[in-house]
Amino acid sequence: MNDRVGGSPRRVGGYGRVTGEQEYVADIAAPDALHVKLVTLDCARARIVSIDTTDAERIPGVKFVMTPAYLPTPIPRFGPQFEDRPILAVGETRYHGEPVAAVAAETKDAAESAARLVKVEYEALPAVVTLAAALVDGAPLVQGPEVRPGDPLSTTNVLREHRVGWGEPEALEADKADLVIENVYDFPMVTQFAIEPHAFMAAPDGDGIVVWSTIQHPNWLQRVLSRILGLPLSKVRVLSPDPGGAFGGKQHAKYEPLVAMMALRAGRPVRLVLTLEETFQAVRRAAATIRVRTGFHSDGTFVFQDIAADYLIGAYADIADRVVGKGSYPGCGSYRVPAARILARSVLSHTTPSTAFRGFGAPQVNWAVESNIDAGAVALGIDPLELRLRNLARRGDPFIPFDTPADGDWEQAARRAAELIGWGTPLMPGRGRGIAFGIKSGPTTGLSYSTVRLLADGSVVVYAGTSDMGQGARTVLAQIAADELGAPLEWVTVVMGDTAVVPYDQQTSASRSTVLMGNSVLHACREIQARLQSMAARLYGVEESTIVVERGIVRVADLEVPIPDVLVRGLGRLGGELIGIGEMRKEADPEHPLGGSAAFFEFNCTAIEAEVDRETGDIAVIRHVTVSDVGKALNPLQVRMQDDGAAIMGLGHTLMEHYIYDDAGRIRNLGAIDYRIPTSMDLPLELVSDMIENEDGPGPYGSKGMSEGALIPVAAAVAAAVRDATGVVIRDLPLTPERVWAALRDRP
Amino acid sequence: MNDDVQRLPISVTVNGDERVLEVAVHHTLLDVLRDDLALTGSKECCLVGECGACTVILDGRTVDACLVLAVEADGTSLTTIEGLASEGRLSPLQAAFLDHGGVQCGFCIPGQVVSAHALLQDNPHPTRADVDEGIAGNLCRCGCYEQITEAILRTAEASGR
Ligand code: FES
Ligand code: FES
């Protein structure tokens, strides 16, 4: 199997994953750890009158019950955008599952029994769980105005508004277009459902603290804890073993500050492993209602896009408002649109704080806009693929006027998908085809350091702060180092997930790691290559400039010397090693609406063939084609796995997934029995992934980020296939059998 | 500690070794594997028998260890993920998972491998549909299903001869 860049060797870290040896946070042995259980209420919003821990503390084995009374006042708050989330609810709970107290006990059993015995006297208050309820005049405020002093919106549930647009305002008037299509679309609340529930552990560590977490962003967590605990960064060590799936839900701090405070109070380790139900209550994707007005010329080219998207975020902002701003920003899609107006609002509610989730706000608007484009194509009698191609941005087009121009040959991906689905060929009766394009802005800023050590025997250690949560960063970074330094892949170790050892990395998100950390590791390897070049010059007595070091080889005149040979002789008797430091920055641009332009775009075209059962409303996906523009696949098998995974996850919110809330703001379908995600029985009959490689990305060897794109256009492509098969148009997700059946029944 | 908790002695053969231990009557087999025997390869996710992350083989049949009380396992023979590789060598099935890209984050994988192992024991020559059905109780949010199916079919083929 080919280990080099461009090959698909066995996953680095794969052995532990198939043998059960891989240690996730919940697997770490800590015999002296106290077990933590959260105390929560049976409603979303309540005024807390009192908390009585007497009975709970009588349970044998219970050490203490943490309540706000034991926390500093004012209670520390945190959050990546706004510091609005308290360590424990103070005065009022704001979502179903928000902890009001937490028990620490010697055993899980004792902690669980005691948590049930903590007596919380409370008064349930009306909760706001829908956009309509949150936006109505006089709606209860989720966050009091004191949380955001000086903000004119702070007397409403609108946390922030994001406006982007270009072209003249008059260009959006209806009479400028031959056809205007206007519709409202709904996207449901769904949850990440990583198979690994979130888990945390903390322990005092000399004059500092060590915290284990399933977190994606260990360095970010380190900053949060350092501020809250008043400790220098050097005294806060975050250990983040490879997460068991994350999908954005593990980006930011959740209960780590609580667990850290409890460890300091206990003077010994404490651990909190969430149940799946608690994880559902901790993270989700924002629901959205999106109104789209699209103006078309009669030839199908766009006149304008006018988009108003309300995202229902949760009780605390987490990163949700950034999701709204960044996700809605490329809302017009991958097209040339002469005039655009996008208004996106983040609307607070008494629900689980929504956060990052694969696609980062793009799937919601994409669902609406691509579906509206399909409606326009039908109304104009133009083939939906043809209409899209007429508008598609070509390489170099400044399709979002103040951002990175189109950075790929996207038409190629679209044509490949069309070919693979058999676009335009005859269909069996009862079947239909749909197609949609998706786009996502890559990271707008970034900073990734890395260290690479070439050891005396030619083996390599890479230190990279990326989290490998399944996307395979460990493998790709190892491939780069192996290739550049001429080591076999098994001789490369990648150290991640320890802030005391690994240099700073901003975060693992926005499909950035191959590009940003990949380049950082590449730079570190190049530094080592430069040292090898001087070594070789010395050893062979030639000018440095005549020596070339590349991809594992030192070229001295027409001699090709393997790197380890030069290394061993060059290091001499004392041995030692060569150390390279990598740094990759994506600078911010304060003038840009997102604070920086896109490092790259993820483009994907998804094409679906589906059959609809008219009796039951069941949709069978016959063929699902997904084609991403990836620049260069450093590991093609991993690219395919990420695209397949994103496609299947997209089918989840398209066909089956959604939270159901009751009036008290409780999630009614908590857990795996009532919230279904795709299993091996829910797959398309055929799932075909392909990729376009033009080596035109900013990452190593021309790679681009990927792994979210294939999720984005799934819903619109499936709905278009249903429309093609039945003539019925559905604008609410998920496309459950009941919904499809009802739409067929009510068809005019 | 919780001394009022009732405990009972049980004896189970785990991956070929007989283990005699006292277990709390309300603890599941998964609790005992993970907490008492430190066999953490079987994972905890849904705890209601829906995800398959805790799949083990009990007297030849796959069960969700989160649904079985430890006392019910008294006198049985168990195979867990820890029992499938021998002396650091992957079983052909485990190797196939890696070669065909059946593993991403890995959290569901012990359960998948155990289910697949049991499937091939019962049915050495499964069809694609048999495999899809055989692993239907094992959720994979990373979406490795196609690759897992491939790995299982290839393993069956290779051992078919
Ligand atoms: S944890 Fe046992 S089936 Fe999910
Ligand atoms: S590999 Fe991540 S859940 Fe299956």
Side-chain angles (χ1 to χ4, degrees):
Chain A
M1 206 165 288
N2 182 2
D3 282 6
R4 308 296 295 259
V5 161
S8 301
R10 283 186 183 174
R11 171 172 300 260
V12 175
Y15 180 89
R17 285 170 168 78
V18 294
T19 54
E21 281 173 26
Q22 175 78 20
E23 233 179 27
Y24 301 89
V25 172
D27 302 334
I28 296 170
D32 55 338
L34 292 171
H35 296 264
V36 175
K37 184 70 191 172
L38 302 176
V39 178
T40 61
L41 306 181
D42 192 33
C43 65
R45 180 172 175 236
R47 191 174 65 82
I48 302 165
V49 179
S50 64
I51 303 176
D52 178 356
T53 61
T54 329
D55 290 351
E57 275 163 337
R58 277 204 197 110
I59 297 273
V62 170
K63 280 288 160 200
F64 60 85
V65 180
M66 193 70 150
T67 63
Y70 292 91
L71 291 169
T73 30
I75 199 160
R77 290 174 184 263
F78 61 97
Q81 274 197 279
F82 304 89
E83 284 169 357
D84 59 352
R85 185 201 293 254
I87 293 183
L88 285 170
V90 253
E92 189 177 309
T93 61
R94 294 185 165 79
Y95 67 91
H96 182 214
E98 179 171 15
V100 297
V103 177
E106 298 286 353
T107 63
K108 270 196 264 185
D109 288 337
E112 278 164 23
S113 319
R116 283 192 291 272
L117 291 179
V118 172
K119 280 202 205 96
V120 185
E121 194 188 326
Y122 64 92
E123 178 197 348
L125 299 171
V128 156
V129 296
T130 62
L131 278 170
L135 291 171
V136 79
D137 271 350
L141 288 186
V142 178
Q143 295 193 351
E146 70 285 354
V147 182
R148 289 176 282 141
D151 177 354
L153 289 172
S154 67
T155 54
T156 73
N157 283 320
V158 177
L159 178 61
R160 273 177 76 189
E161 296 180 343
H162 302 265
R163 291 169 200 275
V164 194
W166 56 85
E168 298 302 318
E170 308 81 68
L172 297 165
E173 285 163 15
D175 59 3
K176 301 290 188 300
D178 296 324
L179 171 74
V180 176
I181 299 272
E182 178 169 355
N183 287 301
V184 177
Y185 299 85
D186 269 327
F187 193 101
M189 272 190 212
V190 291
T191 190
Q192 287 82 353
F193 202 150
I195 304 299
E196 176 197 39
H198 296 220
F200 319 99
M201 188 156 74
D205 183 25
D207 51 357
I209 191 161
V210 52
V211 175
W212 292 257
S213 169
T214 48
I215 196 119
Q216 285 173 246
H217 302 345
N219 286 102
W220 202 319
L221 174 61
Q222 184 191 33
R223 275 203 309 277
V224 170
L225 293 169
S226 148
R227 181 182 60 78
I228 290 180
L229 302 175
L231 289 169
L233 291 171
S234 61
K235 298 293 175 187
V236 178
R237 180 176 189 182
V238 174
L239 291 166
S240 50
D242 294 2
F247 313 112
K250 293 174 179 166
Q251 284 190 7
H252 292 285
K254 300 288 179 286
Y255 301 131
E256 293 91 335
L258 171 65
V259 168
M261 290 279 192
M262 292 179 79
L264 293 179
R265 182 169 165 200
R268 54 191 273 203
V270 301
R271 77 195 302 164
L272 168 63
V273 179
L274 296 189
T275 62
L276 184 63
E277 289 76 6
E278 288 167 333
T279 296
F280 273 40
Q281 293 177 314
V283 291
R284 67 171 177 92
R285 196 197 285 281
T289 296
I290 308 109
R291 174 178 294 277
V292 191
R293 269 175 79 238
T294 309
F296 298 87
H297 290 297
S298 56
D299 65 357
T301 53
F302 295 138
V303 181
F304 61 80
Q305 285 287 12
D306 186 5
I307 301 166
D310 283 336
Y311 288 73
L312 187 68
I313 69 168
Y316 302 109
D318 201 278
I319 197 70
D321 176 67
R322 175 72 179 168
V323 169
V324 172
K326 187 167 181 238
S328 59
Y329 166 84
C332 297
S334 48
Y335 307 104
R336 292 183 286 228
V337 176
R341 174 165 64 195
I342 303 172
L343 164 62
R345 303 193 291 179
S346 7
V347 181
L348 293 158
S349 64
H350 292 111
T351 61
T352 288
S354 68
T355 186
F357 186 177
R358 203 176 210 164
F360 208 76
Q364 291 94 321
V365 173
N366 180 278
W367 153 241
V369 172
E370 286 291 314
S371 295
N372 221 45
I373 292 173
D374 190 66
V378 172
L380 290 165
I382 301 175
D383 175 89
L385 170 64
E386 176 55 30
L387 184 143
R388 283 180 171 83
L389 289 175
R390 281 182 200 169
N391 289 288
L392 184 65
R394 300 309 195 269
R395 186 191 301 282
D397 278 349
F399 70 115
I400 301 175
F402 28 80
D403 209 314
T404 306
D407 62 351
D409 185 356
W410 297 336
E411 180 172 351
Q412 238 183 309
R415 295 216 183 265
R416 176 80 56 84
E419 182 192 318
L420 290 170
I421 200 79
W423 193 258
T425 60
L427 277 161
M428 278 167 59
R431 290 193 182 173
R433 289 196 192 101
I435 198 160
F437 297 174
I439 192 154
K440 178 173 184 288
S441 294
T444 54
T445 64
L447 179 53
S448 296
Y449 294 100
S450 62
T451 308
V452 176
R453 294 165 59 201
L454 178 61
L455 306 185
D457 60 355
S459 65
V460 180
V461 187
V462 177
Y463 298 79
T466 296
S467 294
D468 190 340
M469 49 217 188
Q471 85 282 36
R474 211 178 265 284
T475 310
V476 165
L477 299 175
Q479 281 178 280
I480 294 171
D483 212 350
E484 291 295 328
L485 300 177
L489 193 66
E490 318 76 81
W491 278 37
V492 181
T493 294
V494 183
V495 181
M496 297 170 154
D498 182 349
T499 59
V501 174
V502 179
Y504 180 85
D505 177 48
Q506 189 190 51
Q507 59 202 88
T508 300
S509 67
S511 304
R512 74 181 59 218
S513 302
T514 295
V515 171
L516 295 178
M517 188 56 84
N519 275 332
S520 173
V521 169
L522 192 59
H523 293 169
C525 292
R526 297 265 152 89
E527 233 181 71
I528 291 174
Q529 289 174 342
R531 307 271 302 281
L532 287 163
Q533 196 181 7
S534 351
M535 265 184 181
R538 189 159 44 79
L539 292 171
Y540 291 89
V542 296
E543 276 296 308
E544 231 181 276
S545 58
T546 64
I547 291 175
V548 179
V549 187
E550 56 177 10
R551 309 292 282 262
I553 294 288
V554 183
R555 287 179 217 285
V556 189
D558 25 345
L559 225 61
E560 286 197 354
V561 193
I563 284 182
D565 291 7
V566 173
L567 178 74
V568 170
R569 283 189 288 148
L571 287 175
R573 270 217 213 124
L574 279 182
E577 60 186 47
L578 295 182
I579 303 177
I581 308 242
E583 177 179 337
M584 181 67 201
R585 313 177 77 92
K586 166 79 176 72
E587 293 295 347
D589 170 4
E591 303 296 304
H592 190 283
L594 294 180
S597 59
F600 52 81
F601 291 101
E602 274 192 66
F603 178 84
N604 173 276
C605 178
T606 294
I608 298 284
E609 180 175 330
E611 185 170 304
V612 180
D613 183 327
R614 280 151 205 273
E615 301 301 311
T616 62
D618 223 29
I619 299 171
V621 177
I622 306 295
R623 198 174 168 84
H624 183 143
V625 173
T626 184
V627 182
S628 297
D629 176 6
V630 302
K632 160 87 184 159
L634 303 192
N635 182 318
L637 180 59
Q638 286 191 176
V639 166
R640 198 184 134 212
M641 290 155 75
Q642 282 288 299
D643 270 351
D644 280 12
I648 294 168
M649 196 174 260
L651 288 174
H653 68 233
T654 300
L655 299 175
M656 58 182 85
E657 295 178 35
H658 61 131
Y659 274 177
I660 303 166
Y661 271 91
D662 69 10
D663 292 342
R666 293 174 297 199
I667 305 172
R668 295 315 343 191
N669 55 343
L670 274 183
I673 294 181
D674 298 316
Y675 184 100
R676 314 299 303 198
I677 60 172
T679 71
S680 58
M681 304 300 282
D682 301 304
L683 302 184
L685 286 187
E686 257 186 301
L687 176 54
V688 184
S689 338
D690 203 353
M691 58 192 94
I692 301 296
E693 293 181 274
N694 289 319
E695 300 186 7
D696 52 357
Y701 322 109
S703 56
K704 298 177 186 178
M706 58 81 51
S707 82
E708 300 176 80
L711 174 139
I712 294 171
V714 173
V718 172
V722 170
R723 188 267 308 147
D724 189 43
T726 63
V728 159
V729 174
I730 302 175
R731 301 193 184 89
D732 293 342
L733 295 177
L735 305 174
T736 55
E738 301 88 295
R739 194 167 258 158
V740 174
W741 179 84
L744 285 165
R745 179 199 55 196
D746 300 342
R747 178 176 27 193
Chain B
M1 294 232 205
N2 270 20
D3 288 329
D4 48 344
V5 169
Q6 207 197 331
R7 295 185 158 264
L8 284 176
I10 63 166
S11 141
V12 257
T13 306
V14 184
N15 302 325
D17 294 333
E18 178 160 353
R19 312 291 295 252
V20 179
L21 61 165
E22 292 231 314
V23 298
V25 289
H26 66 288
H27 279 180
T28 64
L29 180 58
L30 183 60
D31 292 332
V32 168
L33 286 173
R34 291 180 55 84
D35 301 339
D36 300 349
L37 296 175
L39 294 172
T40 54
S42 307
K43 300 301 175 203
E44 245 179 42
C45 171
C46 72
L47 300 181
V48 291
E50 286 293 320
C51 75
C54 63
T55 308
V56 298
I57 303 172
L58 186 144
D59 283 342
R61 296 196 14 237
T62 55
V63 294
D64 295 319
C66 69
L67 289 187
V68 177
L69 284 175
V71 290
E72 295 177 88
D74 186 25
T76 63
S77 171
L78 284 178
T79 305
T80 69
I81 184 67
E82 287 88 351
L84 295 187
S86 56
E87 285 148 25
R89 289 188 63 82
L90 297 179
S91 71
L93 180 65
Q94 288 169 316
F97 265 66
L98 292 179
D99 290 338
H100 295 282
V103 180
Q104 294 192 61
C105 80
F107 202 79
C108 72
I109 295 300
Q112 306 272 6
V113 171
V114 170
S115 287
H117 179 85
L119 171 78
L120 291 181
Q121 273 188 334
D122 282 358
N123 178 1
H125 302 289
T127 62
R128 186 168 283 268
D130 293 339
V131 172
D132 282 344
E133 211 179 302
I135 58 164
N138 292 86
L139 297 178
C140 177
R141 190 57 151 169
C142 296
C144 303
Y145 299 121
E146 297 268 337
Q147 290 79 3
I148 290 173
T149 302
E150 198 60 28
I152 299 172
L153 289 172
R154 291 281 157 270
T155 307
E157 250 168 48
S159 72
R161 277 180 287 271

